Amino acid sequence: MMLKKSAMNRYLYVCVVSALFFVLSNALYVDQIGKYDWTKNLIGKVELVAFDSSVSISKNVFVATDKNVVASISAKNGNINWRRTLAFNDGKIKSLNHVRDGIVSVTEAGVARVFEASSGVTKWDVNLAASKTEEEFLVHQVAVLEQSYTEGNLLVVLTNTEIITASLSKHHPKVKSVAFDQDISGAEYNKLLIDSQSSQILHFQLELRRGISVTVYDAKQLEIISQANVQNDWLATLDTVAVLEGNQLLYSCNEPESEMLYLVDFTSGKVLNSVRLELFDIESVASIVSVSNKDVTTHGPNVLLLHGQGKVSHIKVDDGDVKIGWKKELKSLREVVTKQLGSEEYSFFTSIDNQDVTITAMSVKTGLTDDSLTIRYQLPANTGEISSIHINMFLKRTTPIGFRALLTTTADTVLLVAHPNRLAWQRDESLASISSANMLDLPLSDGDAGIEAEFEEAERTSVPDMFAKRVKAQASQVVSFFKQMAKELDEGTLFKHKTRDPLIQVEGLTRDPFSLHKMIVVVTKAGSLFGIDSLNGEVVWRYYSSLLTDRDIHLYVQRTTAHFPHPPQALILGLDPQQQLNPVLLELNPITGEVEDKTDVLGGIKSPIMQATLLPNPDSTHLRPLLLLDTDLNVHLIPKTAETESVLKQLNLYLYDINSLTGLIRSFSIKSSNVAKPTWSVTVPNTHRIIQFGGKPSGEKIDSLGRPLADRSVLFKYLNPNVVAVLSESLEQNVDRCSLMLFLIDAVTGQMIHSIVHKRSQGPVHLVHSENWLLYSYRNAKLRRIEVSALEMYEGKTQFNSTSFSSFHVRPNPPTILQQAYIFPYGISSIGVSKTEKGITSRQILFGLKKGSLFGIPRKLFDPRRSLHPNEKHREEGIMPYSPEVPVPPELFLSYNLTLEQIDGIYCAPSALESTSLVFTTGLDLFFTRTQPSKMFDVLKEDFDHMFIGAVLIGLFIAALVTRRLSQVKQLNKSWR
Amino acid sequence: MCNVFYLLVIVSCVWIRATAHESGYSLIVEHAFGEGEFQKRGEILFSNLKGDEASFKNPVQLSPSEVRELEKIAKQDGMYKIRMSTKLQEVSSKTEDSSWVSTFTYANQLLGTDLHHALNIHTDGLGSIISISIVPVPCIDCRHDDTFDFDTNVIVTVPIQAQSPDTAGFLTKIEEEKRKKEKQANEPQSFFGKYWMFIVPVVFFMMVSNAAQQQQ
């Protein structure tokens, strides 16, 4: 017994050592960093912008984005200086201000944070909502009251129930609040302004049919100084209300027959003056533009009235008199902003005519402008339309002011444009929200393509012809090889690395022998498409169409680059999530990015599209037709030709449709007709909702049909390609009553192969389904931890039918299902699995961790046959003893010391090297690397000593020659003797 | 085949029990030939709400025209479909339920087994039907006659409770190992067992030196 025990210990020891060995061999050396991996740090769609200096030209731009990121971007080159991601349960970022104390951000849920402007370090944060719930508390507007250094700046927040102030200079801010008598209506009917000179807070509230109520608070004590009501029953928007210096309020009446401008003292509500707009020759005012600053001390006596189509009139209030100044008319005017710096007050007029953006700065007082104050910029193609303009105005010595504009577009691109039309930098932020990615092989070089073309025309040419062609093609390859070598010798680049990746020595966008260099085609949620070079992450091509915005975009690669001379082809299908709008179809060459609109092909489809899939079989041009199924069960083929229809007729196709809203899974059979027939339906219990599903990847390569056991028998895998895993979560969220259910359904027959219930567990679920195994992560609600469940399906020791598989075969036994669960020590945001050319290399499970890493662990650790008490058989098979926790050694992080935020997709593609799988992760950061799950067994190590081996070989050869000669001489002498 | 027979035995036992007491919950089963309308085929009686036992009740006999229809569809490679409602109802309240689960098989497959088949019903164990599937099972000991009668076995399955991480087992194992180690450490060891690493070299050295002396 004792002996056995020690044997087991030894076994454990061997296991640990081998695991360590494995681990170490997988790790990365410092000098390998950045050789074949790259990262692209992104921030997300820019929503709020603050410039860092108001007087001189700004060096940094501070932004807040839809991904809850606060970042500082260098205004020089657009690089990220620092980036901080805020928790999503703090709510969306509502405001961003740059003040002396740092960057102040306030979220919708009332979390205020101050970041050090230069480093991004959080100085302090405070929850202004205190104990109020989300429904009770909503931040409307934020202002910062800038005061002298001794008094310190004050953060002023207007919420639906109160005004809150917090002093910014102190690390433990004093939070004061004054509640309203009743909750205030929507944000657009309220205006929060401050007066830094008299340290007052002004709150304007428009009450429909009653007028504007103006409340002035003392900023220090939050006591009401004055409250007045400006009575009128027609004002419907605060756009036509402007606050001027000296507690004056200017607003216009647009009622027909009484178009007037009123000037009111808002502390008393007394009308100071009223002027008929007719006198100024103005009809009805669309809006009144005053200085955009929240501080009323910067609001001078001047305002601009916008009326009609691009008409602007300058109004000056002088000692209670309302006077008209200059008048202008601008074409296709989009936006007017007034900014004030010292004594300079300028208005910026943005006109957008198609792709041309013109921003003109005009002195408000004089209405004068000149050429040095105009930016005329043409938006580059495929960047979308302008969605917002942020002006950075600064003082200059010669001309009084200068300015730059930060433009954001509907394609989520950010551009910084300077005078006269210079693009300082551009960031493609739609890459932060990628919905799907595809890694495609690059096209062959011309020489290789010539040989490939031979096979294409093999049927038409005779053997001697083909032989001659082959000799010719290979001769030209030899010639071009020597030419290339001569050229490299000439340039002295023969022994230099062509690219930074030691394994890719083919320049340009041509396929390398190991097929490690790929084109990554990504589809983003903003509706743009990108072709990214996998070598360095550079954008090769981009495409944006406004047709694709707000749609679910699906990319189908119909033909890869493998079929020269046919060009690669992909289809992009844009579906409206609400199924209201017509679908959009584009044809794309994924290598060059050429796009052709094919929407008219969909003309015959009357009902919304329910399902789309590529047919498994290609036509004679190697194009896989796309099959569309509409809700009336009509089948459509793209392209629709006699040949593709015959391809469809040969197939016996079954489609399934999962409706996560109704919990219904339906299947349809398509058999030589253009109408699909419903076959089976399965429904999850009505106390559950479907949260995740996963079929097996089509055309998956499986290296072995079974697993050899210790007793020399084989345990055959259940390799039904039609298995679909569906996971549902209970609607009940209570910890003790919630549950998670897994259904394994044969998608052809609708048979329930297996089902499992996880009690006291809930989503989110991440899933990988491949070969005969399934792995998914879920949250154990009771024990508050993440668990990973592994499931394997086996047919048993005998195979039912070793030659073919059909779901309709009636098997004597249901498959054996083995399942085991493990504790995962980190939060999981995504799961993927490595893919190799032939599937011989063992699989690696890739986890995107919430803490910001990509972690790759051998699938061996998720073998449900791991036993708690291993015996001889387990040892012989090499199954590790069971331990409930998944080890996370730092050496197994594919992302080494990088932080990859919000990983939401892990995509893997095989290379021509069996050992190597390419990995691309998406999220707030893009990361590309490659992984060798079973080490690099088919490539010599980088430090392999070629010179030494060569020298030894040559030495031995020479030695053999010399000794042969010597022995011959000796033999001869012997014979003479 | 052995397994099928085993299942048959179980199901027939269930059937006998279900007939013994008529109380329970029943669900209507309907069938359709090809693309035709669904018609009542019978009822499935669940003996309790948990729904882990069930039997086929009140089968509707196939009329000669229906038999002809079935044979015709089999020739056209058509489908035979079955559906049942998803919620368990009491026998008395036979209200129509709009949500159904359905399944199909090819009619010729069904005729190939003389209408002998198994209905696999999957419930969540709380009264909801999740799926139904029909498997034509070749019948060995059935009588081969020309009557076209359905021979239905009902098999009900429920989701299996998943394995959760076995922390308790692992801790006991660690505990056991620890205890064993302690036991081993505390066990009185023989003098040789304790100090063999010192004795062996001495003996070896002595042997070597002895051998050297003898040679001299």
Side-chain angles (χ1 to χ4, degrees):
Chain A
M1 185 61 210
M2 238 171 77
L3 252 174
K4 205 172 173 192
K5 187 74 228 167
S6 70
M8 190 161 143
N9 279 340
R10 206 178 307 141
Y11 168 67
L12 266 173
Y13 174 71
V14 167
C15 255
V16 168
V17 167
S18 62
L20 266 177
F21 189 74
F22 180 88
V23 163
L24 286 176
S25 64
N26 243 355
L28 197 72
Y29 291 103
V30 176
D31 62 343
Q32 284 179 311
I33 288 176
K35 270 196 175 162
Y36 50 80
D37 67 282
W38 51 261
T39 42
K40 208 178 189 123
N41 298 317
L42 300 159
I43 48 175
K45 181 186 180 180
V46 171
E47 290 185 336
L48 301 167
V49 177
F51 291 97
D52 85 335
S53 161
S54 48
V55 182
S56 60
I57 189 161
S58 127
K59 286 192 186 75
N60 301 304
V61 185
F62 303 101
V63 293
T65 72
D66 67 333
K67 300 269 173 199
N68 262 22
V69 165
V70 176
S72 159
I73 298 174
S74 161
K76 214 172 167 186
N77 49 24
N79 291 343
I80 298 172
N81 297 325
W82 53 262
R83 183 183 73 178
R84 300 296 304 261
T85 317
L86 309 189
F88 274 101
N89 46 6
D90 285 355
K92 259 182 91 143
I93 300 171
K94 190 83 186 174
S95 96
L96 191 74
N97 284 291
H98 177 247
V99 286
R100 193 172 58 215
D101 310 280
I103 312 298
V104 186
S105 80
V106 180
T107 66
E108 245 167 21
V111 178
R113 282 202 173 81
V114 179
F115 302 96
E116 177 77 47
S118 57
S119 63
V121 173
T122 313
K123 281 171 131 180
W124 54 261
D125 56 2
V126 64
N127 190 354
L128 301 172
S131 59
K132 291 190 192 79
T133 61
E134 261 174 60
E135 291 80 37
E136 292 168 350
F137 189 90
L138 189 71
V139 171
H140 281 335
Q141 283 174 40
V142 179
V144 177
L145 182 67
E146 291 193 68
Q147 302 184 105
S148 71
Y149 199 83
T150 45
E151 282 179 315
N153 293 342
L154 206 62
L155 178 71
V156 185
V157 179
L158 172 77
T159 75
N160 55 345
T161 54
E162 56 196 343
I163 287 179
I164 305 171
T165 61
S167 74
L168 284 174
S169 54
K170 302 195 180 86
H171 281 250
H172 298 288
K174 226 180 187 178
V175 178
K176 278 185 196 163
S177 66
V178 53
F180 302 128
D181 298 338
Q182 59 189 67
D183 283 12
I184 58 172
S185 47
E188 68 270 26
Y189 296 125
N190 288 279
K191 204 175 213 172
L192 176 76
L193 290 174
I194 46 166
D195 187 339
S196 63
Q197 232 159 37
S198 51
S199 132
Q200 286 173 347
I201 299 165
L202 320 174
H203 175 215
F204 299 81
Q205 189 186 359
L206 175 66
E207 288 164 55
L208 292 178
R209 287 179 228 305
R210 286 180 62 196
I212 313 168
S213 82
V214 186
T215 320
V216 181
Y217 298 90
D218 171 47
K220 282 198 189 86
Q221 305 303 324
L222 276 184
E223 281 163 1
I224 297 176
I225 294 173
S226 72
Q227 187 160 29
N229 277 309
V230 180
Q231 297 284 340
N232 70 50
D233 55 358
W234 33 260
L235 204 62
T237 166
L238 281 173
D239 284 351
T240 54
V241 178
V243 181
L244 303 177
E245 59 176 14
N247 296 347
Q248 295 175 109
L249 195 69
L250 185 79
Y251 63 96
S252 77
C253 169
N254 288 340
E255 293 292 296
E257 304 299 315
S258 60
E259 284 119 342
M260 303 272 277
L261 268 184
Y262 292 91
L263 187 70
V264 181
D265 182 335
F266 64 72
T267 52
S268 61
K270 209 175 83 190
V271 178
L272 301 174
N273 199 349
S274 63
V275 188
R276 290 192 78 83
L277 282 168
E278 276 171 359
L279 292 176
F280 299 154
D281 202 15
I282 294 169
E283 286 126 33
S284 96
V285 178
S287 70
I288 303 181
V289 179
S290 62
V291 173
S292 60
N293 200 326
K294 292 242 174 212
D295 193 346
V296 290
T297 52
T298 62
H299 295 203
N302 302 296
V303 289
L304 300 182
L305 303 188
L306 301 187
H307 53 96
Q309 283 282 314
K311 284 183 193 159
V312 186
S313 299
H314 166 225
I315 297 287
K316 188 176 176 166
V317 176
D318 191 6
D319 210 15
D321 272 353
V322 180
K323 291 175 188 161
I324 185 138
W326 48 269
K327 270 189 173 185
K328 285 264 154 68
E329 196 172 340
L330 288 112
K331 253 191 220 164
S332 46
L333 184 67
R334 166 83 175 267
E335 202 177 296
V336 182
V337 183
T338 304
K339 297 216 168 224
Q340 182 262 1
L341 253 188
S343 60
E344 306 294 338
E345 192 175 333
Y346 275 81
S347 272
F348 299 88
F349 298 87
T350 311
S351 311
I352 297 166
D353 187 13
N354 284 332
Q355 294 293 96
D356 294 315
V357 185
T358 313
I359 305 170
T360 315
M362 221 175 265
S363 167
V364 176
K365 279 172 212 150
T366 59
L368 293 177
T369 182
D370 76 72
D371 224 25
S372 70
L373 292 174
T374 304
I375 291 177
R376 281 191 192 83
Y377 180 69
Q378 191 182 18
L379 270 184
N382 294 320
T383 46
E385 288 150 29
I386 299 277
S387 59
S388 70
I389 303 139
H390 306 270
I391 307 271
N392 173 220
M393 166 174 158
F394 47 88
L395 294 177
K396 261 171 128 179
R397 278 212 194 95
T398 47
T399 52
I401 65 144
F403 72 99
R404 289 184 300 185
L406 189 88
L407 310 174
T408 67
T409 72
T410 49
D412 294 357
T413 306
V414 197
L415 310 108
L416 187 77
V417 181
H419 175 78
N421 58 3
R422 193 173 63 84
L423 174 71
W425 49 264
Q426 172 181 350
R427 292 184 66 90
D428 294 310
E429 287 305 331
S430 58
L431 288 173
S433 47
I434 288 174
S435 58
S436 78
N438 251 299
M439 280 186 259
L440 297 170
D441 281 333
L442 289 170
L444 290 166
S445 63
D446 293 341
D448 292 339
I451 290 181
E452 283 292 315
E454 260 176 51
F455 298 109
E456 199 53 40
E457 50 203 42
E459 287 155 21
R460 276 167 271 155
T461 39
S462 61
V463 174
D465 269 2
M466 274 176 71
F467 181 72
K469 251 189 195 156
R470 167 62 66 89
V471 170
K472 223 163 111 186
Q474 287 189 332
S476 77
Q477 264 186 328
V478 169
V479 169
S480 72
F481 172 75
F482 279 109
K483 264 189 192 159
Q484 177 69 21
M485 205 144 121
K487 194 179 145 211
E488 279 169 12
L489 263 179
D490 218 35
E491 290 165 359
T493 55
L494 186 59
F495 295 106
K496 270 191 190 146
H497 279 196
K498 309 272 187 305
T499 69
R500 61 183 186 149
D501 192 326
L503 284 182
I504 302 176
Q505 290 312 320
V506 178
E507 282 171 298
L509 286 174
T510 37
R511 197 184 306 172
D512 60 299
F514 299 144
S515 197
L516 290 166
H517 191 179
K518 305 254 178 185
M519 173 69 81
I520 307 172
V521 179
V522 299
V523 178
T524 70
K525 285 175 189 145
S528 48
L529 301 161
F530 290 89
I532 298 173
D533 187 347
S534 78
L535 192 65
N536 46 23
E538 272 169 23
V539 172
V540 180
W541 56 262
R542 75 185 77 220
Y543 178 78
Y544 172 80
S545 168
S546 55
L547 292 172
L548 291 175
T549 39
D550 299 328
R551 283 178 188 250
D552 290 336
I553 308 171
H554 305 269
L555 182 85
Y556 301 96
V557 180
Q558 289 190 294
R559 182 165 54 210
T560 61
T561 44
H563 308 288
F564 187 83
H566 303 290
Q569 187 177 319
L571 284 180
I572 299 149
L573 185 67
L575 299 176
D576 182 28
Q578 271 80 46
Q579 304 198 328
Q580 300 292 323
L581 306 168
N582 287 331
V584 177
L585 187 77
L586 304 172
E587 193 182 289
L588 167 82
N589 179 332
I591 302 298
T592 59
E594 287 159 26
V595 173
E596 205 179 319
D597 195 344
K598 291 266 180 182
T599 305
D600 49 334
V601 175
L602 301 177
I605 303 176
K606 297 285 177 285
S607 356
I609 292 169
M610 179 167 66
Q611 280 295 330
T613 182
L614 285 176
L615 292 189
N617 296 1
D619 66 2
S620 63
T621 59
H622 305 284
L623 193 79
R624 285 171 68 187
L626 181 71
L627 182 140
L628 301 175
L629 183 68
D630 66 21
T631 47
D632 289 338
L633 304 188
N634 294 316
V635 176
H636 310 272
L637 276 180
I638 295 167
K640 193 181 169 79
T641 61
E643 200 194 348
T644 53
E645 274 178 0
S646 76
V647 168
L648 179 65
K649 281 216 172 89
Q650 285 158 18
L651 293 164
N652 198 356
L653 212 63
Y654 294 87
L655 293 180
Y656 66 93
D657 176 63
I658 295 178
N659 190 331
S660 56
L661 289 176
T662 58
L664 190 68
I665 307 157
R666 289 183 298 163
S667 171
F668 308 95
S669 133
I670 297 164
K671 218 174 180 184
S672 64
S673 81
N674 280 334
V675 181
K677 289 175 190 164
T679 51
W680 54 264
S681 65
V682 166
T683 167
V684 299
N686 55 7
T687 51
H688 273 236
R689 64 188 181 101
I690 297 174
I691 49 168
Q692 187 68 268
F693 69 94
K696 292 181 184 178
S698 66
E700 193 180 30
K701 296 227 170 88
I702 294 154
D703 70 313
S704 96
L705 293 172
R707 279 179 70 162
L709 300 183
D711 59 3
R712 303 291 175 268
S713 64
V714 175
L715 186 60
F716 284 100
K717 294 175 182 171
Y718 180 70
L719 293 168
N720 181 352
N722 306 322
V723 179
V724 176
V726 177
L727 277 139
S728 72
E729 182 191 53
S730 61
L731 299 171
E732 175 73 66
Q733 291 292 315
N734 183 294
V735 174
D736 286 315
R737 273 168 299 182
C738 65
S739 66
L740 202 70
M741 275 177 151
L742 167 80
F743 306 105
L744 293 174
I745 304 167
D746 185 308
V748 170
T749 61
Q751 273 204 58
M752 185 67 69
I753 295 167
H754 193 67
S755 88
I756 288 180
V757 58
H758 289 270
K759 290 220 169 117
R760 295 181 198 89
S761 300
Q762 53 189 209
V765 168
H766 303 283
L767 168 97
V768 274
H769 189 184
S770 177
E771 291 186 37
N772 68 326
W773 55 268
L774 182 74
L775 193 122
Y776 55 95
S777 71
Y778 56 91
R779 187 171 175 274
N780 187 325
K782 179 85 179 165
L783 297 165
R784 298 179 184 191
R785 66 186 182 199
I786 303 294
E787 292 180 0
V788 174
S789 171
L791 205 131
E792 283 187 5
M793 289 164 262
Y794 289 102
E795 215 165 278
K797 297 242 173 139
T798 50
Q799 234 178 337
F800 175 70
N801 184 342
S802 57
T803 47
S804 72
F805 182 89
S806 168
S807 288
F808 289 109
H809 287 159
V810 179
R811 283 151 192 277
N813 306 321
T816 316
I817 313 278
L818 304 173
Q819 187 249 336
Q820 214 165 48
Y822 315 88
I823 302 163
F824 201 86
Y826 293 102
I828 295 170
S829 62
S830 192
I831 300 188
V833 63
S834 69
K835 250 183 229 155
T836 54
E837 176 94 15
K838 304 265 183 266
I840 299 165
T841 309
S842 58
R843 299 293 199 105
Q844 191 177 34
I845 310 289
L846 303 165
F847 291 94
L849 305 185
K850 283 210 171 121
K851 69 169 195 146
S853 323
L854 182 66
F855 172 65
I857 189 162
R859 202 184 73 81
K860 223 166 85 174
L861 267 104
F862 300 104
D863 185 346
R865 296 176 65 226
R866 284 173 72 181
S867 165
L868 197 55
H869 303 284
N871 54 30
E872 204 61 54
K873 280 180 185 169
H874 291 107
R875 261 161 261 163
E876 200 172 328
E877 276 184 60
I879 299 174
M880 284 189 226
Y882 178 78
S883 71
E885 197 174 19
V886 178
V888 183
E891 296 91 338
L892 288 188
F893 285 122
L894 261 65
S895 57
Y896 44 101
N897 63 353
L898 297 172
T899 304
L900 309 171
E901 303 249 25
Q902 302 171 11
I903 298 175
D904 57 12
I906 299 172
Y907 301 89
C908 293
S911 68
L913 284 173
E914 175 52 35
S915 65
T916 309
S917 171
L918 304 174
V919 183
F920 178 60
T921 70
T922 61
L924 197 53
D925 298 285
L926 305 186
F927 178 61
F928 179 87
T929 189
R930 53 186 190 231
T931 178
Q932 285 104 14
S934 307
K935 289 183 261 175
M936 209 152 123
F937 55 76
D938 45 8
V939 178
L940 290 177
K941 281 260 156 57
E942 247 182 274
D943 53 0
F944 184 81
D945 204 340
H946 293 89
M947 291 295 270
F948 180 71
I949 295 281
V952 167
L953 268 179
I954 292 166
L956 282 174
F957 182 69
I958 291 168
L961 282 183
V962 170
T963 46
R964 184 161 166 256
R965 177 77 195 135
L966 287 177
S967 82
Q968 273 173 352
V969 170
K970 201 176 171 187
Q971 206 72 41
L972 191 69
N973 288 343
K974 215 178 182 178
S975 315
W976 275 108
R977 218 177 278 156
Chain B
M1 268 320 117
C2 178
N3 280 305
V4 173
F5 185 70
Y6 178 62
L7 284 176
L8 286 181
V9 170
I10 292 178
V11 171
S12 54
C13 288
V14 167
W15 198 78
I16 290 160
R17 268 216 282 166
T19 45
H21 48 92
E22 278 291 303
S23 66
Y25 297 84
S26 88
L27 285 175
I28 299 167
V29 176
E30 297 187 339
H31 64 171
F33 307 116
E35 301 307 303
E37 288 285 308
F38 278 98
Q39 280 159 354
K40 192 178 167 183
R41 153 91 198 268
E43 279 167 22
I44 287 176
L45 185 81
F46 291 86
S47 54
N48 54 21
L49 188 70
K50 254 183 95 185
D52 51 1
E53 287 176 1
S55 59
F56 202 80
K57 295 285 287 176
N58 307 331
V60 175
Q61 297 287 324
L62 279 180
S63 67
S65 66
E66 282 173 326
V67 171
R68 276 197 298 280
E69 175 78 16
L70 192 62
E71 280 174 337
K72 195 180 121 199
I73 279 164
K75 269 180 202 140
Q76 292 166 351
D77 200 17
M79 288 183 276
Y80 170 76
K81 290 186 200 164
I82 279 190
R83 68 174 187 180
M84 73 186 288
S85 52
T86 53
K87 271 280 167 196
L88 289 183
Q89 303 160 347
E90 277 186 47
V91 179
S92 51
S93 64
K94 283 181 179 169
T95 49
E96 283 289 317
D97 195 343
S98 56
S99 58
W100 301 83
V101 288
S102 57
T103 185
F104 78 106
T105 185
Y106 285 104
N108 52 8
Q109 250 185 324
L110 194 64
L111 286 175
T113 60
D114 290 335
L115 303 188
H116 186 93
H117 63 269
L119 278 184
N120 292 328
I121 296 171
H122 195 81
T123 77
D124 70 345
L126 301 165
S128 286
I129 307 293
I130 295 163
S131 90
I132 180 172
S133 63
I134 177 166
V135 183
V137 186
C139 181
I140 301 160
D141 54 348
C142 295
R143 57 197 189 284
H144 285 276
D145 47 20
D146 290 338
T147 54
F148 280 95
D149 277 338
F150 284 112
D151 191 356
T152 313
N153 294 314
V154 181
I155 301 159
V156 180
T157 49
V158 289
I160 292 168
Q161 182 85 37
Q163 291 266 339
S164 54
D166 188 5
T167 30
F170 187 73
L171 288 177
T172 356
K173 181 185 153 187
I174 298 274
E175 201 66 28
E176 245 169 48
E177 266 169 29
K178 211 164 141 192
R179 220 176 302 133
K180 250 177 206 167
K181 216 176 239 173
E182 268 170 22
K183 217 172 157 190
Q184 260 177 35
N186 292 341
E187 250 176 31
Q189 277 180 324
S190 65
F191 180 78
F192 186 75
K194 250 181 188 168
Y195 302 109
W196 62 269
M197 62 287 271
F198 303 109
I199 298 166
V200 168
V202 170
V203 169
F204 179 75
F205 179 75
M206 275 165 71
M207 270 166 68
V208 169
S209 62
N210 253 352
Q213 271 179 2
Q214 271 177 9
Q215 266 190 0
Q216 276 179 0

